[in-house]
Amino acid sequence: MSRTRNSDHQFDLDLGDDHANPGEPPSAPEMAAVLTEGEHMENLLEQWQDAGWIRELDIAFARLIRELCREQGESPEPLLLLLAAMASHQVGRGHVCIDLVSLLDNAGQTLALPPEEAPRHGYPELVDTLPTPSDILSQVTLPDCIAAMGATSAVSDGLHTTPLVQVDTRLYLRRLWRYEQRIAEGIRSRLSPSPSLADATSPSATTLRQALDALFSPRNDVDYQKLACALAARNRFAIITGGPGTGKTTTVVNLLAALQATAGCDSSRGGRKFRIRLAAPTGKAAARLNESIGNAVNRLPLDQLPGNVDLADIPTRVTTLHRLLGSRPDSRKFRHHRDNPLLVDILVIDEASMVDVDLMASVFDALPDHAQLILLGDKDQLASVDAGAVLGELCQRASESHYQPATATWLKAVSGEQVPQTLVDEHGEPLDQAVAMLRKSYRFTEDSGIRQLAEAVNTNRLDQLTLKRCRDAAFDDVIWLNGSDRAPDLEATLEGICRHAITGSPKAFRNRGVGRSTDHGELAPPVGYQHYLTLMNHRGLEADSPPEAWDDLARQVLEAFGDFQVLCALRKGPWGVEGLNDRIARRLLEARLIPRAEGWYAGRPILITGNDYNLGLMNGDIGITFSLPGQGNENGEPDTTLRVAFPSGDGTDGIRWISPSRLQQLETVYAMTVHKSQGSEFNHTCLVLPDRMSPVLTRELIYTGITRARSWFSLVTGDPDVLTASSRLRIRRASGLAEALRSSVPVNES
């Protein structure tokens, strides 16, 4: 039995004589046949792939299950093949597993199938006639799924080596289940308070208290940064989470200084300080942390600390996680693992919301048993592009803290800060005692529009008053550029985005100004891309200018480029990255700010989209293309060479110059997706939302887009209702990490 295409490009499930009308949706008996005949099921999965609904990888995994079952003399049920394909599909969407209860309750929503904008590959009638997963699973019950999984040796509870693992009502690919278990075990083994600090009257606890008192000035309200330092010092695993401007970097620098003070006074260590490493998921995030942590270290009152702490004891060099672990080209494995652990006592990972389960499991594999892990990040930001939402799941209860009375008492004794009673819970879980949330923003004032809009979105309280203030430019730092247009014209709006991107001025849409942020004082008006291009085009350097002068110019241009960024929710289409990058480039060419709009040219900003270990460039790194003058050709005519300038990424302010011919995975970055912007901040961001809803439009995406802005935020929408509709939808990634932390299932590593 095989699938067939007829001359009208319609698909036939090839279900036999019962299917009387090819091209029409199959009837209930026909769909029931899909659940009883394996070939019918495979035929349907292939048609879903042809329709652009699922990946070839998902079908290949279902076939693998079929072949493994046959090798054991089993005849796998078609339902098992469907569940296997859907489990693989969910991993591709960022889920660690597939939850069968959610699947059967609403398969369309759980799987996002059929997708809203699936590619049709020349067969437009296909998507209108295919049965959907909801159609098929409407006849299936949870006991049916349990029975199908229990009837095969391809599924186990994890104690045996099988390609699929079932835990309660969750179905995992074994690789993802193993990652989750390794993370849970790594955290669980580090949750007990350090023996030297468990007693608040111990010498180490006394030193810690002295250090915290020196690092933090007295306040009239609760100092959540000081509480976070004390809590994070207590265990070998800790999370410090908070929104933008809450002082995560300042807090962790003070924490490291306090820990080095305790080490310096610990007689059992002989005054030996801790070996500390700092890391981030991307090169851009590492560079930003490197800059902010260096500034914070220079403000430390080291002379007031016990333990003889000096500047050399607090690292300021930040690396990417892949560099830290030792990436191997063309391999998922790292040089550092259980048999070759990192030489580290304390590891700090910033922007931890971007770390997926695979990478986080590798981190725990590479940590020596005694090492302390500290995660920093905003729990409300977008999760990693790949599978898992590790930080978000670990911080599910962070807002209420749930500190046990004993924890609150210890914190009071060591930090001098009284934990509010609303954050105390006698039934608090062990993980709760390791999670600290910073609750005061130092970047934005109470009347900041960026702050109010971000909080309204994040708490699902985006009301009409806030929207009206954005439309009317009532905020000093936020403007909804076309918020008054109920039915924005596509072409006019896209052209307005381009003008706004070039100048940064809201006059691209209407003749109104933007005020001054009271938090930042008298700032210059927002700027667009003409800022960095003007700086570049009036450089005043010649062929005989020293390399240091070119490096200095590159640093200035890269910094100027970071003053403004267009962010998109989508990749494709007129509202997406691809369409806007092309359109903005053409408008910059018309304005004579760049020499061409295609290929390589001076001024082209690029984003690295894949790790290149040979060049030392990581996914997310941004570079600017320069035209460097040569010494002249043989005819005495001037010549030029194109080179791309990147920050060195090694913790210094150095510049690396790389030939465009050596760069492989990249894209122009006048516009970037919100996902790609994580780990970055820009002085001014313009968030572009499309004219219709899409599965990627969620509260987390809107919040992340808003909070990339430091000083100015502008918004453009293809439909004004998309903003409010997106803010009501949350990302719910299926996972069992929180439950795994409460259990102790042994992991079979084979």
Side-chain angles (χ1 to χ4, degrees):
M1 191 172 299
S2 62
R3 60 179 177 154
T4 60
R5 288 189 177 104
N6 62 31
S7 60
D8 293 327
H9 300 312
Q10 291 182 330
F11 280 54
D12 184 352
L13 280 175
D14 194 15
L15 298 178
D17 295 337
D18 289 338
H19 191 49
N21 299 301
E24 295 182 1
S27 63
E30 292 168 342
M31 287 190 289
V34 174
L35 289 168
T36 57
E37 293 290 338
E39 289 182 79
H40 291 342
M41 178 61 73
E42 288 189 50
N43 190 31
L44 177 60
L45 292 175
E46 289 174 346
Q47 294 184 25
W48 285 353
Q49 180 202 341
D50 283 321
W53 292 9
I54 63 175
R55 304 170 299 171
E56 184 178 358
L57 178 63
D58 305 328
I59 299 176
F61 183 69
R63 288 174 177 155
L64 172 65
I65 297 300
R66 178 198 63 193
E67 293 305 315
L68 291 175
C69 289
R70 288 179 177 176
E71 289 176 5
Q72 299 299 317
E74 301 170 357
S75 179
E77 293 189 25
L79 178 56
L80 177 66
L81 303 182
L82 174 63
L83 294 177
M86 294 302 95
S88 174
H89 167 75
Q90 289 296 81
V91 171
R93 296 183 58 240
H95 297 271
V96 178
C97 60
I98 186 168
D99 182 75
L100 300 177
V101 173
S102 299
L103 176 68
L104 298 178
D105 180 60
N106 191 332
Q109 179 176 314
T110 301
L111 302 169
L113 292 178
E116 290 189 10
E117 297 182 4
R120 300 197 173 198
H121 303 302
Y123 300 96
E125 300 88 350
L126 176 61
V127 295
D128 300 323
T129 61
L130 273 178
T132 67
S134 295
D135 295 331
I136 301 298
L137 291 168
S138 65
Q139 307 176 66
V140 175
T141 66
L142 182 60
D144 293 335
C145 295
I146 301 298
M149 294 185 294
T152 174
S153 57
V155 183
S156 73
D157 59 2
L159 296 179
H160 304 285
T161 305
T162 55
L164 289 165
V165 173
Q166 177 197 346
V167 180
D168 296 327
T169 61
R170 298 187 301 277
L171 182 64
Y172 295 82
L173 274 64
R174 180 174 184 80
R175 175 172 60 88
L176 277 298
W177 174 83
R178 191 167 66 242
Y179 291 156
E180 194 173 83
Q181 291 295 318
R182 280 152 59 182
I183 294 170
E185 178 56 35
I187 294 174
R188 197 166 45 235
S189 66
R190 290 173 165 82
L191 287 180
S192 299
S194 168
S196 63
L197 292 172
D199 181 358
T201 63
S202 68
S204 291
T206 300
T207 302
L208 177 60
R209 181 168 60 251
Q210 293 171 350
L212 293 177
D213 287 342
L215 291 164
F216 293 93
S217 302
R219 296 173 45 147
N220 294 326
D221 56 349
V222 178
D223 192 335
Y224 287 102
Q225 291 188 4
K226 192 174 184 182
L227 278 174
C229 281
L231 190 76
R234 189 172 181 240
N235 304 323
R236 285 182 297 127
F237 175 78
I239 297 175
I240 299 175
T241 186
T246 52
K248 295 183 289 293
T249 302
T250 299
T251 302
V252 80
V253 167
N254 286 342
L255 168 63
L256 296 180
L259 288 171
Q260 293 292 43
T262 62
C265 294
D266 188 344
S267 58
S268 66
R269 296 183 59 85
R272 182 175 58 87
K273 301 296 198 301
F274 292 119
R275 295 168 297 184
I276 302 173
R277 298 296 301 272
L278 309 174
T282 67
K284 186 68 174 179
R288 190 164 66 86
L289 177 61
N290 187 83
E291 178 182 358
S292 58
I293 210 164
N295 294 333
V297 168
N298 289 331
R299 294 193 298 267
L300 287 173
L302 297 179
D303 58 333
Q304 301 176 35
L305 294 178
N308 297 316
V309 181
D310 59 40
L311 279 175
D313 296 326
I314 314 296
T316 57
R317 181 173 177 176
V318 186
T319 185
T320 64
L321 275 174
H322 286 84
R323 289 192 183 104
L324 175 72
L325 297 175
S327 300
R328 293 177 173 177
D330 304 318
S331 173
R332 300 177 67 96
K333 297 182 179 180
F334 296 96
R335 287 190 295 107
H336 290 289
H337 44 73
R338 291 186 177 183
D339 296 326
N340 182 32
L342 293 164
L343 294 175
V344 64
D345 299 310
I346 300 172
L347 173 61
V348 177
I349 301 177
D350 193 24
E351 297 291 351
S353 62
M354 301 170 64
V355 183
D356 58 66
V357 290
D358 185 348
L359 189 55
M360 190 65 80
S362 297
V363 168
F364 278 104
D365 275 353
L367 279 180
D369 291 340
H370 74 275
Q372 181 177 7
L373 177 63
I374 301 165
L375 303 181
L376 306 179
D378 187 343
K379 66 182 180 63
D380 298 314
Q381 278 188 197
L382 280 167
S384 62
V385 175
D386 295 314
V390 177
L391 185 73
E393 186 163 9
L394 295 176
C395 293
Q396 285 179 350
R397 291 157 57 92
S399 296
E400 296 79 26
S401 292
H402 300 280
Y403 294 141
Q404 296 169 358
T407 301
T409 300
W410 186 92
L411 287 171
K412 171 65 175 175
V414 172
S415 72
E417 298 293 319
Q418 182 66 56
V419 177
Q421 194 58 39
T422 55
L423 304 183
V424 179
D425 178 4
E426 61 179 341
H427 302 295
E429 299 176 358
L431 176 62
D432 298 330
Q433 318 312 304
V435 180
M437 181 172 171
L438 306 180
R439 302 167 190 269
K440 178 178 174 60
S441 176
Y442 298 89
R443 179 179 305 166
F444 304 114
T445 59
E446 291 293 336
D447 61 352
S448 162
I450 295 175
R451 173 175 180 163
Q452 292 186 48
L453 182 60
E455 289 181 353
V457 167
N458 197 35
T459 58
N460 195 24
R461 295 175 181 172
L462 188 58
D463 56 21
Q464 290 302 313
L465 176 60
T466 304
L467 294 174
K468 184 177 187 303
R469 296 189 70 188
C470 293
R471 288 191 182 99
D472 297 342
F475 293 117
D476 287 333
D477 52 356
V478 172
I479 184 170
W480 189 350
L481 292 169
N482 66 336
S484 299
D485 299 331
R486 295 307 303 172
D489 177 76
L490 172 63
E491 189 64 23
T493 303
L494 295 178
E495 285 303 306
I497 294 171
C498 291
R499 290 191 295 270
H500 184 59
I502 293 173
T503 66
S505 169
K507 294 180 180 180
F509 282 83
R510 55 172 59 87
N511 188 20
R512 70 167 68 158
V514 178
R516 295 292 184 267
S517 170
T518 56
D519 184 44
H520 296 83
E522 289 296 319
L523 289 176
V527 297
Y529 293 133
Q530 69 179 7
H531 176 45
Y532 89 91
L533 289 168
T534 300
L535 179 64
M536 188 178 198
N537 293 333
H538 296 80
R539 59 197 183 196
L541 298 181
E542 304 296 340
D544 57 354
S545 297
E548 295 79 8
W550 284 100
D551 287 353
D552 185 56
L553 174 65
R555 276 190 292 272
Q556 294 179 48
V557 170
L558 284 163
E559 182 179 355
F561 179 76
D563 277 340
F564 178 83
Q565 183 65 58
V566 174
L567 301 180
C568 299
L570 306 180
R571 285 203 57 80
K572 299 185 180 297
W575 300 98
V577 164
E578 294 179 3
L580 281 174
N581 269 321
D582 178 67
R583 189 179 285 259
I584 292 171
R586 285 188 277 115
R587 296 300 170 265
L588 288 169
L589 176 61
E590 292 173 1
R592 299 184 178 181
L593 289 167
I594 56 176
R596 55 186 298 183
E598 298 177 346
W600 285 102
Y601 54 86
R604 182 189 181 190
I606 65 164
L607 175 75
I608 300 299
T609 58
N611 295 336
D612 188 327
Y613 304 112
N614 293 323
L615 293 178
L617 294 175
M618 297 293 119
N619 188 357
D621 288 351
I622 289 178
I624 304 291
T625 311
F626 281 75
S627 178
L628 305 183
Q631 299 299 322
N633 58 28
E634 58 185 11
N635 298 321
E637 299 170 338
D639 62 348
T640 59
T641 302
L642 291 179
R643 291 290 185 270
V644 184
F646 291 93
S648 61
D650 60 359
T652 69
D653 62 353
I655 295 293
R656 301 179 60 202
W657 298 90
I658 298 178
S659 171
S661 62
R662 301 185 65 193
L663 301 173
Q664 302 299 320
Q665 301 180 72
L666 59 93
E667 60 187 28
T668 303
V669 68
Y670 296 117
M672 70 167 66
T673 62
V674 176
H675 271 97
K676 287 291 187 182
S677 74
Q678 286 187 268
S680 302
E681 287 182 351
F682 308 94
N683 195 43
H684 178 193
T685 61
C686 174
L687 177 62
V688 177
L689 299 181
D691 58 354
R692 67 192 65 184
M693 285 299 295
S694 166
V696 303
L697 289 167
T698 62
R699 183 184 307 173
E700 290 84 356
L701 182 137
I702 304 299
Y703 171 81
T704 302
I706 295 169
T707 55
R708 296 312 88 205
R710 287 193 301 264
S711 303
W712 313 102
F713 175 76
S714 49
L715 174 69
V716 181
T717 55
D719 181 337
D721 293 333
V722 166
L723 173 62
T724 51
S726 303
S727 300
R728 297 190 188 106
L729 300 177
R730 299 214 65 177
I731 296 175
R732 301 290 185 185
R733 288 196 172 178
S735 170
L737 179 57
E739 183 174 321
L741 279 167
R742 304 184 187 102
S743 63
S744 56
V745 179
V747 180
N748 183 345
E749 291 297 332
S750 59

